Amino acid sequence: MRPELLQKISDLVAQGATILGPKPNRSPSLEGYPAADQKVKQLAAELWGNINGTTVKSNKFGKGLVLSNMDMQAALNTVNILADFKVKETDPVLFIHRTTSEGEFYFISNQSEKTINISPEFRVTGKQPEFWDPTTGKTRLLTEYTQYGALTKVLLKLESFQSAFIVFRKSAGSGTTSLNFPEPKLVQTLNSPWEVTFDPKMRGPEQPVIFSQLVDWTKRPEESIKYYSGTAVYRNTFKVSKPANTEQMYLNLGDVKVMAKVKINGVYVGGVWTSPWKVNITNYVKSGTNSVEISVVNTWVNRLIGDSKLPVAQRKTWTSVNIYKPDSPLEPSGLRGPITISSITY
């Protein structure tokens, strides 16, 4: 380390800065040699003091502190800096945090295919946590939390690869506490045959096809379905009672490849393109028989693969660089379910 840089570091530590690193013993430059090396050794001796890296790992210098031979977490613990966001080491969660004039905004993301229940600690106190769903724009208060010292622990549940904003902007409340994520109640499973309409213009079947059970399009025997790329519309009916005032009703689509839009009784209620693959149908269902229409779209990969098996003159798709061959694996497509209706009382 050059003496000019070490002198600047020395000045900063004297004024209150904390540094972490090994003790330098020479300058990397030949400028001013050998005086420069002597200056580095002098400043280093003052800053690192009696630090030996084993029994002594810190040295007070001026208003600041010098640390050595420890990892970053140990260093943060030494100077009593709490983690901004903390979960168990086994929790597959990533986060980012932004502070604004309105409050503290944490964006957290489940990096696994499994639903997880976590209890992260946020370096926030005195504020009410809120759950903001980035896929629907809906927000709600989270009342199942604990505050101690400068931290707030919140009980959370994230579906497969689900992300959410946890926001702190209002003063903590003192009302009744309810579950942040109450268990959904299964209302029914839609396992009756589905009528599925493909687009003939996209070389799908000319007439609607009855799916006695929901399966991947690539598992069907018909080539017009196996290699189909485009939108297919699933239709069915179900019977339910109108939800109570405190009840929210959801249509859960299970496994979707790759995106879907839903209509209930002919009215569009929302689309899904990521986990948790469900839409709120509370305001759209009626007591008695209801119709459901789910439009599912996949990518054009299977069409490219299917066309690669045909003579060039019969191919309908074209791309300048086609990486797909006749033996390329087909992409899972369609609505694979299970499709259920559930209700949650908040």
Side-chain angles (χ1 to χ4, degrees), residues 217 273 291:
W217 296 348
W273 65 95
S291 66

Side-chain angles (χ1 to χ4, degrees), residues 18-38:
T18 297
I19 65 169
L20 168 65
K23 179 181 179 181
N25 56 21
R26 65 181 180 85
S27 172
S29 170
L30 292 178
E31 183 179 0
Y33 177 84
D37 284 358
Q38 293 300 321

Side-chain angles (χ1 to χ4, degrees), residues 114-125:
K114 297 181 179 180
T115 298
I116 58 174
N117 292 283
I118 58 176
S119 301
E121 293 177 342
F122 300 86
R123 197 172 62 198
V124 179
T125 189

Side-chain angles (χ1 to χ4, degrees), residues 187-190 194 234 236-238 240 248-254 256 260-265 269-272 276-282 285 291-295 335 338-343:
V187 177
Q188 66 173 279
T189 300
L190 279 63
W194 289 80
Y234 292 71
N236 213 330
T237 60
F238 60 90
V240 293
Q248 296 292 306
M249 188 169 286
Y250 294 89
L251 179 69
N252 309 288
L253 302 185
V256 180
K261 290 184 176 181
V262 178
K263 289 183 179 180
I264 298 294
N265 297 319
V269 301
V272 292
W277 305 108
K278 65 181 182 181
V279 291
N280 192 319
I281 61 174
T282 307
V285 295
S291 66
V292 56
E293 181 179 298
I294 306 172
S295 299
L335 191 59
I339 300 181
T340 63
I341 296 174
S342 61
S343 67

Side-chain angles (χ1 to χ4, degrees), residues 30-101:
L30 292 178
E31 183 179 0
Y33 177 84
D37 284 358
Q38 293 300 321
K39 183 63 174 178
V40 168
K41 290 180 179 179
Q42 173 200 336
L43 291 172
E46 295 172 358
L47 280 169
W48 272 260
N50 296 324
I51 291 178
N52 56 28
T54 53
T55 58
V56 181
K57 297 184 179 183
S58 65
N59 181 58
K60 185 75 175 176
F61 182 83
K63 296 180 180 179
L65 187 66
V66 177
L67 305 173
S68 184
N69 200 31
M70 63 177 70
D71 59 30
M72 183 60 70
Q73 188 57 58
L76 293 173
N77 293 339
T78 300
V79 294
N80 297 317
I81 295 179
L82 298 174
D84 187 25
F85 175 85
K86 183 179 180 181
V87 291
K88 296 178 182 177
E89 290 186 2
T90 55
D91 289 337
V93 179
L94 295 179
F95 88 103
I96 55 175
H97 173 208
R98 183 177 182 183
T99 299
T100 74
S101 58

Side-chain angles (χ1 to χ4, degrees), residues 87-288:
V87 291
K88 296 178 182 177
E89 290 186 2
T90 55
D91 289 337
V93 179
L94 295 179
F95 88 103
I96 55 175
H97 173 208
R98 183 177 182 183
T99 299
T100 74
S101 58
E102 296 182 47
E104 307 296 328
F105 293 78
Y106 289 83
F107 181 76
I108 64 175
S109 172
N110 177 9
Q111 299 291 298
S112 72
E113 296 180 350
K114 297 181 179 180
T115 298
I116 58 174
N117 292 283
I118 58 176
S119 301
E121 293 177 342
F122 300 86
R123 197 172 62 198
V124 179
T125 189
K127 298 291 185 179
Q128 170 81 50
E130 303 173 36
F131 187 91
W132 290 18
D133 189 337
T135 62
T136 65
K138 301 294 184 181
T139 67
R140 59 186 177 88
L141 297 179
L142 297 173
T143 59
E144 205 172 6
Y145 65 93
T146 305
Q147 296 191 345
Y148 46 92
L151 302 174
T152 299
K153 177 186 286 187
V154 186
L155 300 184
L156 298 175
K157 177 181 179 181
L158 293 176
E159 304 282 351
S160 166
F161 295 116
Q162 184 182 10
S163 58
F165 289 95
I166 307 301
V167 178
F168 300 84
R169 55 180 183 144
K170 301 177 181 178
S171 297
S174 58
T176 58
T177 300
S178 58
L179 295 177
N180 288 345
F181 297 87
E183 284 297 318
K185 174 185 175 183
L186 178 64
V187 177
Q188 66 173 279
T189 300
L190 279 63
N191 49 20
S192 57
W194 289 80
E195 179 187 271
V196 186
T197 303
F198 294 85
D199 187 352
K201 295 179 181 178
M202 302 296 288
R203 286 182 287 169
E206 292 289 339
Q207 299 298 324
V209 180
I210 301 300
F211 279 41
S212 58
Q213 60 181 8
L214 295 173
V215 295
D216 186 333
W217 296 348
T218 66
K219 305 302 181 183
R220 295 284 301 197
E222 306 95 329
E223 291 196 355
S224 59
I225 297 178
K226 179 180 293 187
Y227 300 116
Y228 180 80
S229 290
T231 301
V233 182
Y234 292 71
R235 294 183 176 88
N236 213 330
T237 60
F238 60 90
K239 290 184 179 180
V240 293
S241 298
K242 192 168 181 61
N245 290 336
T246 58
E247 186 181 15
Q248 296 292 306
M249 188 169 286
Y250 294 89
L251 179 69
N252 309 288
L253 302 185
D255 190 11
V256 180
K257 300 296 182 188
V258 290
M259 295 187 291
K261 290 184 176 181
V262 178
K263 289 183 179 180
I264 298 294
N265 297 319
V267 180
Y268 175 68
V269 301
V272 292
W273 65 95
T274 185
S275 181
W277 305 108
K278 65 181 182 181
V279 291
N280 192 319
I281 61 174
T282 307
N283 299 325
Y284 305 95
V285 295
K286 60 184 179 181
S287 295

